Amino acid sequence: MHKEHYMKNETLKVLLKRVVSSLIVLFLLITFIFILLRISPGDPTDKFISPKLSPHLLAHVRDSFNLNSTIWDQYESFVVNLCKGDFGISYNYRMPVFTVVLEYLRFTLIFSIISFAIQIGFGFLLAIISVQKINGTVDRIFSRLSLVIYAVPSFVIGVFLIYLFSVSLKILPSSGLSSFDSADYSFLQSFFDYAKHMVLPLMTLSLGGIAVFYKYLRDNLEETYNKPFVLNFRANGVDERTILLKHIIPNAIGPLIAVAGVELGLLFGGALITEVIFALPGMGRLTINAILSRDYPLVVGCTFVSGVLVILSNLAADLLKAKIDKRLVKRILN
Amino acid sequence: MRTNIKIWQFIVGICAIIFLVRVVEIYNSIELFLKFLKLLFFVDTSATIDHLNFMLIDNFISAIFIISLPVFIYFKRKRIKLIQEKLNITSAVILVLIAFFIFAPIISETNPDFEKNLNMTKLLPPLSEVKVLSLVKEENAQQDELWQFLKLKDEVIKNSFDESIIFVDSVKSGSEVTYYQKGIATQIDSAKVKYVGNKPLVHKEIFLLGTDELGRDIFSRLIYGARISLFVGFASVIITMILGLSLGFFAGFSGGFIDSALSRFTDMLLAFPVIFLIVLILALFGNSLISVIIVLGFSGWMSLFKIVRGEVISMKEKEYFISAKMIGLSNYRLLVKEVMPVIAASIVVNLVFQYGNVILAEAALSFLGLGTGSNYPSWGQMIEAGQNYLTSAWWMIFFPGIILFITLFAANDLGKKINSYYNPRIQSW
């Protein structure tokens, strides 16, 4: 009883330490980006100003963007606002940054969670299938295929899929989130419409991830199969199914969780290439457009949100790992 | 997959094939080189140097190499162990890419930016033939040695423009020469046209892999694109290596505050998708060949840093390291003599994987329009341009996509092979 309590306290301590250090890292990152934005050449007010504008109005525009004061003053007010949870107003959208980000974040969250589930699910399934007979025909085909798919850049996959399914076979739409006349659709129809639009982007985004997870898990499973305790189980007459489900998988899954955490974080940051190819309204494209149009508050807001999501997903992975393997808590603490 | 061909045989074979296919160009280049040397040393040094540019040097180097390299390899083959190995797909791909890199001016028939008669040459499918009508070049009255050199130079160096050829569908000759381009007839003074016998000189030009939307030859763009990709990869991997090694050694060796500060900084960079940082810097500070190299080089040192730092920390306790320090070796010599030999294998593996990553990142950046700029053809840029012509011109995307994939595959495979060579316990497929 006492020991349980002790463990819990320890876990909490580790957790707190992680959260604090992550927040510091995040703050440093935002500061880094803030400074980078201010010292870069170019002026965000350029495209809001016409040459006919009077100097008085011009100063007013710059003033409204809070770009007239020194960098240090700007940074000070930025930090103060940040502590209040205010990221400022986006230059382009003329809305609070948070509202804009939330709109795009919704799509990214749904999209990346589905893709993540596909990656993990298929990777897991294929690894289990191929590990049934190591170095068998299926195993070899899958392994080779995973190496090939891993090497194909996602934009090549995306363009190839568009060529195959949209241009040649004409069965799936090539871009956007819904059809142009989707407003009249009933609920079921619009659901299928969304699904249809999501097939190609999800394939583009997930194929590489499936290959990575498959390779990782397959190697781990094989390594675990070669360990002496498996031989012991077999000698004692435990059936293969029980060995796989109860002993091999829990032992092999540890390193996978860390990889999965990193992958989920990357997905939350926005699948930049996929969103660009398929013209999807996600965080990746929002960030890029904000950078290209020098929408300073929006860039910082996007960075903050994806940074938080990255940290959260890494944290979740660590917690899950610690739950499976209690020894890890101590290792992190030391 | 393994073959019975040895690596040196493959290298000699590639050079022989290039030599046989392009024997005229190589002969001209060598002649140009000899003329250049003669002018430089015996006639007019300053005027000759004025005509020296990158393309000329490039041409000289590839012409000299294509002759000397096979000879060198053949006579030294017993000395160099590496080229005695059996050839496999990965090494074959890498060797072909290196051949593209060195021999680009000789392999490609046209300049990668060559455009002419857009309506005739744009979006041609692979292996299509176009007739070319040759015009007479204006002759200069003065014909000294420098003029002869320049004339030969014009022939050898492929320019991005050429006034003396016209792409045509068909030609009719009378008192005036009439040529047809997509049904439009144009008349031209017959004095301007080159004649063979009493017919205008018309030859056929083959576009091996087709042309893009601006009528540029995709084959030569691919070859010059290989140059850019390999060069960007190489240059930024060197930056990565210097940064990762020195920072990792510094952090592990000194420990304390510096170590923890650097480690925190690394964590910060790893916490955020690096591609956004790269895009941010390139978009804000402008993208060019140099800035892409620097940014990619600076964005990849984190994993190398972690490897080196970890090794140095564990090495600090070992006797040989302590005694080397006691003898009084400087920090630089400690790094080179004591640390490097131990971690060389893992560094090489890391850098080879990093090389693949950089090539991929460069292509992705070009795809997003933030690459090395339109001055240099690049694979990612070609794919990006081909996207708009997906329905009408599949070859614009297919060939760069395939070559990019093969390159990345070879880089990954090479890294894996080196890894399993140094750590035989790791199973490789």
Side-chain angles (χ1 to χ4, degrees):
Chain A
M1 187 65 199
H2 180 72
K3 206 177 174 193
E4 280 277 299
H5 186 71
Y6 174 72
M7 280 295 284
K8 217 168 192 173
N9 246 346
E10 212 169 26
T11 319
L12 214 67
K13 226 161 141 189
V14 171
L15 199 70
L16 209 68
K17 206 176 149 193
R18 278 291 303 270
V19 168
V20 169
S21 77
S22 301
L23 281 180
I24 292 172
V25 165
L26 187 63
F27 182 72
L28 283 178
L29 181 71
I30 286 184
T31 307
F32 181 59
I33 284 175
F34 185 88
I35 295 170
L36 217 56
L37 285 170
R38 308 293 147 149
I39 62 171
S40 69
D43 191 340
T45 54
D46 270 354
K47 62 178 187 174
F48 298 103
I49 293 170
S50 79
K52 289 177 200 159
L53 218 60
S54 71
H56 171 70
L57 271 173
L58 208 144
H60 189 71
V61 170
R62 284 188 65 85
D63 225 30
S64 75
F65 284 5
N66 193 18
L67 289 170
N68 268 343
S69 45
T70 58
I71 289 186
W72 178 244
D73 286 342
Q74 288 180 40
Y75 184 65
E76 215 179 278
S77 67
F78 167 73
V79 172
V80 169
N81 283 333
L82 191 68
C83 293
K84 290 183 203 153
D86 179 13
F87 280 91
I89 310 273
S90 159
Y91 297 163
N92 289 325
Y93 292 85
R94 301 278 163 177
M95 278 190 286
V97 166
F98 228 74
T99 326
V100 180
V101 169
L102 276 183
E103 202 167 297
Y104 284 81
L105 188 63
R106 202 180 52 181
F107 169 78
T108 285
L109 282 181
I110 296 171
F111 188 56
S112 44
I113 286 173
I114 296 175
S115 170
F116 184 69
I118 290 175
Q119 289 177 19
I120 289 273
F122 273 90
F124 204 87
L125 196 71
L126 295 178
I128 299 281
I129 290 172
S130 85
V131 91
Q132 296 295 320
K133 203 177 173 199
I134 285 165
N135 281 338
T137 322
V138 180
D139 182 29
R140 277 195 199 164
I141 292 174
F142 281 171
S143 296
R144 291 269 154 79
L145 211 63
S146 80
L147 277 184
V148 169
I149 288 175
Y150 178 68
V152 188
S154 61
F155 53 96
V156 175
I157 295 183
V159 174
F160 172 75
L161 289 175
I162 290 180
Y163 183 73
L164 192 66
F165 290 106
S166 305
V167 178
S168 301
L169 300 174
K170 293 195 169 76
I171 49 175
L172 289 169
S174 66
S175 73
L177 197 56
S178 52
S179 303
F180 62 93
D181 53 352
S182 59
D184 316 331
Y185 287 178
S186 66
F187 176 73
L188 209 62
Q189 264 177 326
S190 64
F191 176 77
F192 279 115
D193 190 46
Y194 277 129
K196 229 171 143 181
H197 280 82
M198 281 298 95
V199 172
L200 291 187
L202 279 176
M203 273 167 91
T204 308
L205 191 57
S206 311
L207 273 176
I210 292 175
V212 172
F213 282 129
Y214 164 78
K215 181 189 143 39
Y216 223 87
L217 196 63
R218 185 210 161 275
D219 287 1
N220 279 331
L221 285 174
E222 191 191 348
E223 210 186 309
T224 321
Y225 258 119
N226 289 333
K227 283 195 175 149
F229 76 85
V230 181
L231 193 66
N232 185 34
F233 278 128
R234 285 198 180 129
N236 281 323
V238 182
D239 66 318
E240 285 293 319
R241 209 183 144 75
T242 319
I243 293 180
L244 179 69
L245 292 179
K246 286 230 159 131
H247 303 285
I248 301 279
I249 291 178
N251 270 304
I253 213 164
L256 185 81
I257 293 172
V259 178
V262 173
E263 173 73 15
L264 189 64
L266 288 182
L267 284 174
F268 281 149
L272 179 59
I273 301 275
T274 312
E275 283 164 19
V276 169
I277 296 175
F278 294 98
L280 298 170
M283 284 296 287
R285 251 177 88 215
L286 181 72
T287 314
I288 290 293
N289 286 337
I291 291 172
L292 290 178
S293 63
R294 288 170 203 276
D295 192 341
Y296 293 172
L298 194 54
V299 174
V300 175
C302 287
T303 315
F304 180 80
V305 170
S306 24
V308 166
L309 288 171
V310 167
I311 288 166
L312 281 182
S313 48
N314 282 342
L315 207 64
D318 277 357
L319 280 181
L320 201 60
K321 229 162 61 178
K323 191 144 179 97
I324 291 177
D325 191 343
K326 292 256 171 17
R327 287 168 300 179
L328 284 174
V329 180
K330 269 186 191 155
R331 204 184 301 160
I332 296 168
L333 194 72
N334 295 330
Chain B
M1 203 173 91
R2 273 168 178 273
T3 51
N4 278 326
I5 309 170
K6 285 179 178 161
I7 287 183
W8 71 266
Q9 291 168 328
F10 189 71
I11 299 175
V12 174
I14 294 179
C15 292
I17 291 172
I18 297 172
F19 188 81
L20 289 178
V21 176
R22 296 270 183 253
V23 66
V24 182
E25 276 93 344
I26 293 166
Y27 176 76
N28 282 342
S29 299
I30 296 290
E31 199 188 338
L32 187 71
F33 183 55
L34 295 178
K35 271 194 175 141
F36 175 76
L37 287 185
K38 193 179 159 197
L39 281 172
L40 188 68
F41 291 118
F42 300 114
V43 185
D44 189 350
T45 310
S46 65
T48 318
I49 287 179
D50 281 347
H51 291 288
L52 193 67
N53 56 18
F54 174 71
M55 286 173 82
L56 201 62
I57 297 173
D58 194 13
N59 215 302
F60 290 161
I61 289 176
S62 40
I64 292 165
F65 261 83
I66 196 123
I67 293 169
S68 59
L69 189 70
V71 178
F72 176 79
I73 293 278
Y74 185 76
F75 284 113
K76 290 279 179 185
R77 67 184 190 278
K78 297 222 167 104
R79 293 283 181 81
I80 309 170
K81 246 189 175 172
L82 190 66
I83 59 173
Q84 291 285 355
E85 299 275 319
K86 293 258 163 54
L87 186 78
N88 53 33
I89 289 187
T90 309
S91 50
V93 169
I94 290 166
L95 287 174
V96 169
L97 284 173
I98 292 174
F100 281 177
F101 186 82
I102 303 174
F103 303 131
I106 285 185
I107 297 175
S108 70
E109 215 164 343
T110 53
N111 188 298
D113 293 323
F114 182 82
E115 337 173 346
K116 177 99 191 176
N117 302 112
L118 208 57
N119 56 348
M120 287 299 298
T121 53
K122 72 173 179 190
L123 300 177
L124 290 176
L127 289 176
S128 49
E129 283 182 341
V130 183
K131 284 178 188 161
V132 179
L133 178 67
S134 307
L135 304 183
V136 180
K137 283 178 191 165
E138 278 180 29
E139 300 260 320
N140 206 329
Q142 157 200 26
Q143 299 200 351
D144 59 355
E145 269 188 82
L146 190 62
W147 176 82
Q148 276 179 358
F149 168 74
L150 290 181
K151 197 185 164 195
L152 192 62
K153 185 188 156 195
D154 259 5
E155 229 171 275
V156 173
I157 308 280
K158 292 110 187 170
N159 280 319
S160 58
F161 57 90
D162 190 351
E163 293 297 327
S164 68
I165 60 167
I166 297 173
F167 289 102
V168 293
D169 276 329
S170 58
V171 179
K172 229 198 265 171
S173 70
S175 59
E176 275 191 328
V177 177
T178 314
Y179 62 85
Y180 295 89
Q181 291 176 326
K182 301 272 167 210
I184 301 165
T186 317
Q187 289 185 337
I188 188 171
D189 191 4
S190 57
K192 280 186 184 166
V193 179
K194 256 188 201 164
Y195 276 87
V196 177
N198 54 0
K199 272 190 168 176
L201 175 63
V202 173
H203 68 271
K204 279 178 180 166
E205 198 173 315
I206 300 174
F207 292 103
L208 196 61
L209 301 181
T211 59
D212 66 1
E213 84 278 16
L214 295 171
R216 299 176 294 196
D217 184 22
I218 286 185
F219 180 65
S220 59
R221 285 183 77 73
L222 275 186
I223 286 169
Y224 278 91
R227 266 191 162 181
I228 288 298
S229 284
L230 296 192
F231 176 66
V232 168
F234 196 68
S236 27
V237 161
I238 284 181
I239 294 178
T240 299
M241 187 179 79
I242 293 170
L243 270 178
L245 263 181
S246 48
L247 286 179
F249 179 72
F250 190 53
F253 187 66
S254 42
F257 173 73
I258 296 171
D259 182 25
S260 53
L262 273 172
S263 302
R264 278 301 93 141
F265 184 65
T266 315
D267 286 345
M268 179 186 104
L269 289 179
L270 285 175
F272 187 69
V274 181
I275 182 85
F276 285 103
L277 225 55
I278 295 172
V279 168
L280 183 82
I281 293 172
L282 286 179
L284 292 181
F285 293 93
N287 55 311
S288 67
L289 184 63
I290 303 294
S291 66
V292 166
I293 288 173
I294 292 175
V295 169
L296 288 179
F298 270 77
S299 65
W301 53 270
M302 284 83 84
S303 56
L304 191 62
F305 170 84
K306 290 204 157 178
I307 294 173
V308 176
R309 177 181 163 269
E311 288 283 348
V312 171
I313 284 177
S314 73
M315 207 183 283
K316 266 204 303 198
E317 314 291 317
K318 302 255 168 75
E319 269 101 10
Y320 69 90
F321 190 82
I322 295 172
S323 57
K325 218 165 99 181
M326 291 298 193
I327 293 170
L329 289 187
S330 66
N331 282 353
Y332 173 73
R333 284 177 71 87
L334 272 178
L335 175 64
V336 174
K337 294 263 170 190
E338 305 294 334
V339 182
M340 285 284 274
V342 179
I343 52 175
S346 34
I347 291 177
V348 169
V349 173
N350 183 278
L351 288 182
V352 170
F353 281 121
Q354 179 62 22
Y355 191 77
N357 287 344
V358 168
I359 290 180
L360 175 62
E362 189 269 330
L365 283 176
S366 296
F367 183 78
L368 293 171
L370 286 168
T372 51
S374 53
N375 293 344
Y376 310 98
S378 121
W379 295 336
Q381 203 181 312
M382 290 168 80
I383 295 172
E384 195 266 329
Q387 236 192 324
N388 303 329
Y389 299 89
L390 201 56
T391 46
S392 53
W394 55 268
W395 53 90
M396 274 179 71
I397 276 188
F398 182 74
F399 295 116
I402 286 283
I403 199 166
L404 183 58
F405 154 64
I406 292 174
T407 309
L408 292 174
F409 188 75
N412 287 339
D413 203 42
L414 184 68
K416 211 167 288 155
K417 286 221 165 74
I418 297 173
N419 202 7
S420 62
Y421 179 78
Y422 285 117
N423 311 307
R425 273 173 302 156
I426 296 174
Q427 260 229 331
S428 67
W429 330 307

